[in-house]
């Protein structure tokens, strides 16, 4: 079932519900996931993502709660890159660097939305074209992002894009998850999984140095489920740089399944993630403080965790990272599937 609620300024809120009661709420503004209700081990449906109490607060949304991110997710060093012997200057929005598509990135776009119900699934197709030169990026980029809710409690996000000029592209979603339900606790007591042998080293400005470090024998070793409190309490310079937590890119290990996950022992909720992206940025909400009025409570540090499946913008300045250049005649096609069960 899909319902649409018209809001002010052309904003619409879509509610997608499956037969088990799992419920997804999405704004056409920014393609933002504002709420996601899934059952705990006793069948209680609760919201498991961070969202504002007042929808108007998404107008600025400096933490990118629930938003579609692009044209390039992550930080582009010095807000510029070279492509085909030409230098492209982007808009800086984090000091001298370019973050998450810049100040007018896709999180600020009013997407065209087409609801659908078919084959035991229902969801939303979102459309947008970024014009040549917007934000400093070359090419007219035509995008179709599909949110699909299945009857077995999976949320699939499919990203498709084409361009008429070579241009860097890596899209993601910036939802903050907290499986406690209703934001009862921080994610410190929850357990995270990332199937990765290598992560990126960051400098003091959170820009990749170009070095890949081994996750083994470090707090970044999440190859089996690890309590996040164990990560947060481990002295490590890379955790300090990121604000007492993780804000790093992990390269996925080939053929490992699932690619990532989160488990809350108290509620019994388990989220596993599959993706054909080459890796993800894991962000543990290190920059959150108590100044934000969220749906259930005020925000606080480590209240949510993001699994930003994507390529990595360091590829624009360093060798050794997956390519993120999309060329005319090619289709960008990436999918990430979040599965929700209990144990």
């Amino acid at each position: 079932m899909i319902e649409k609620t018209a809001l002010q300024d052309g904003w619409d809120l879509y509610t997608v519900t499956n037969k088990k009661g799992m419920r997804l709420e999405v704004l056409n503004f920014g393609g933002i996931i504002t709420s996601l209700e899934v059952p705990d081990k006793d069948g209680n449906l609760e919201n498991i993502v961070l969202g504002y109490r007042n929808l108007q607060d998404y107008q600025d949304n400096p933490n990118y709660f629930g938003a579609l991110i692009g044209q390039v997710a992550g930080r582009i060093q010095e807000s510029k890159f070279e492509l085909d012997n030409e230098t492209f200057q982007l808009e800086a929005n984090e000091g001298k660097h370019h973050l998450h598509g810049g100040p007018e990135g896709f999180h600020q776009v009013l997407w065209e939305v087409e609801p659908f119900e078919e084959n035991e699934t229902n969801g939303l197709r979102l459309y947008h074209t970024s014009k040549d030169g917007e934000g400093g990026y070359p090419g007219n980029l035509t995008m179709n992002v599909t949110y699909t809710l299945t009857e077995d409690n999976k949320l699939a996000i499919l990203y498709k894009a084409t361009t008429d000029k070579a241009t860097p592209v890596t899209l993601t979603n910036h939802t903050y998850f907290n499986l406690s339900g209703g934001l009862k606790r921080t994610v410190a007591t929850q357990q995270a999984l990332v199937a990765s042998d290598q992560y990126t080293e960051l400098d003091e400005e959170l820009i990749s140095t170009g070095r890949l470090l081994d996750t083994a024998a470090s707090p970044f070793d999440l190859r089996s489920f690890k309590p996040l409190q164990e990560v947060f309490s481990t002295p490590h310079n890379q955790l300090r740089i990121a604000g007492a937590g993780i804000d790093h890119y992990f390269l996925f290990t080939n053929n490992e399944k699932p690619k990532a996950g989160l488990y809350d022992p108290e509620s019994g909720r388990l989220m596993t993630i599959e993706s054909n992206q080459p890796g993800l940025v894991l962000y543990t909400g290190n920059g959150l403080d108590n100044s934000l009025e969220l749906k259930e409570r005020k925000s606080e540090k480590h209240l949510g965790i993001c699994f930003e499946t994507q390529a990595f913008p360091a590829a624009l300045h360093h060798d050794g990272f997956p390519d993120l250049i999309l060329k005319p005649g090619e289709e960008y096609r990436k999918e990430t599937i979040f599965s929700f069960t209990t144990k």
Side-chain angles (χ1 to χ4, degrees):
M1 182 174 69
I2 302 176
E3 298 176 350
K4 174 183 173 182
T5 304
L7 307 173
Q8 61 186 17
D9 300 324
W11 289 23
D12 295 317
L13 181 67
Y14 292 84
T15 303
V16 184
T17 309
N18 71 7
K19 292 175 183 176
K20 293 181 179 177
M22 181 174 169
R23 189 168 77 164
L24 167 72
E25 292 186 352
V26 177
L27 282 173
N28 61 341
F29 179 76
I32 293 169
I33 294 175
T34 64
S35 178
L36 183 63
E37 295 182 6
V38 303
D40 66 5
K41 61 187 177 184
D42 298 316
N44 300 310
L45 285 162
E46 293 175 298
N47 176 42
I48 58 153
V49 302
L50 275 61
Y52 288 112
R53 179 174 300 169
N54 299 311
L55 293 177
Q56 297 92 331
D57 289 342
Y58 287 108
Q59 182 70 61
D60 294 324
N61 200 13
N63 295 287
Y64 304 91
F65 288 134
L68 290 178
I69 302 296
Q71 180 168 321
V72 171
R75 296 174 176 85
I76 296 180
Q77 183 177 347
E78 306 284 345
S79 301
K80 63 184 178 182
F81 64 91
E82 290 188 9
L83 180 60
D84 295 334
N85 299 316
E86 185 176 353
T87 299
F88 293 91
Q89 187 66 49
L90 308 175
E91 298 175 67
N93 63 323
E94 191 181 63
K96 60 188 177 182
H97 307 299
H98 176 89
L99 175 64
H100 290 333
E104 304 299 324
F106 298 162
H107 64 292
Q108 291 286 305
V109 162
L110 204 59
W111 292 74
E112 179 185 342
V113 178
E114 176 187 283
F116 67 90
E117 297 184 47
E118 57 191 34
N119 301 328
E120 294 296 307
T121 66
N122 49 51
L124 308 167
R125 296 188 182 97
L126 288 74
Y127 300 93
H128 175 65
T129 297
S130 179
K131 301 296 185 183
D132 184 20
E134 282 187 7
Y137 290 97
N140 293 292
L141 187 71
T142 301
M143 289 164 291
N144 172 8
V145 178
T146 304
Y147 290 119
T148 301
L149 191 60
T150 70
E151 294 303 333
D152 56 351
N153 287 1
K154 293 181 180 180
L155 171 61
I157 307 180
L158 174 64
Y159 308 85
K160 296 192 289 187
T162 57
T163 182
D164 58 2
K165 291 182 181 178
T167 193
V169 181
T170 186
L171 310 177
T172 196
N173 178 278
H174 209 286
T175 292
Y176 292 69
F177 293 95
N178 182 324
L179 299 186
S180 66
L183 307 185
K184 295 186 195 69
R185 303 173 293 278
T186 71
V187 297
T189 58
Q190 295 169 43
Q191 301 173 16
L193 169 79
V194 181
S196 174
D197 298 325
Q198 292 182 303
Y199 71 101
T200 57
E201 181 182 60
L202 301 178
D203 68 15
E204 295 286 343
E205 295 182 339
L206 301 178
I207 298 296
S208 173
T209 64
R211 292 182 64 205
L212 286 167
L213 306 179
D214 292 336
T215 58
S218 83
F220 295 86
D221 189 354
L222 302 173
R223 291 174 293 182
S224 58
F225 279 99
K226 177 186 287 187
L228 285 163
Q229 183 57 59
E230 188 178 321
V231 176
F232 301 151
S233 62
T234 303
H236 194 284
N237 191 48
Q238 284 293 299
L239 298 177
R240 177 196 62 77
I241 284 174
I246 298 175
D247 190 8
H248 294 68
Y249 186 73
F250 292 75
L251 275 173
F252 288 142
T253 303
N254 289 336
N255 303 320
E256 286 290 322
K257 292 185 177 183
K259 295 298 186 187
L262 187 66
Y263 173 57
D264 178 45
E266 190 162 336
S267 71
R269 290 186 180 94
L270 172 66
M271 177 178 75
T272 55
I273 300 171
E274 296 293 349
S275 181
N276 63 348
Q277 289 278 17
L280 63 73
V281 172
L282 191 72
Y283 175 55
T284 55
N286 320 317
L288 298 177
D289 56 27
N290 63 358
S291 65
L292 304 176
E293 291 286 350
L294 304 183
K295 221 172 239 186
E296 296 90 351
R297 55 176 283 194
K298 281 188 176 290
S299 57
E300 72 171 291
K301 190 182 187 76
H302 298 154
L303 190 58
I305 181 171
C306 302
F307 294 83
E308 303 163 56
T309 53
Q310 60 176 90
F312 197 53
L316 296 171
H317 296 92
H318 300 283
D319 296 329
F321 293 95
D323 183 38
L324 45 70
I325 302 301
L326 180 67
K327 298 175 182 176
E330 299 177 343
E331 182 185 49
Y332 178 92
R333 186 183 181 94
K334 300 294 183 182
E335 186 173 35
T336 297
I337 301 172
F338 302 87
S339 299
F340 297 93
T341 55
T342 58
K343 69 174 188 176

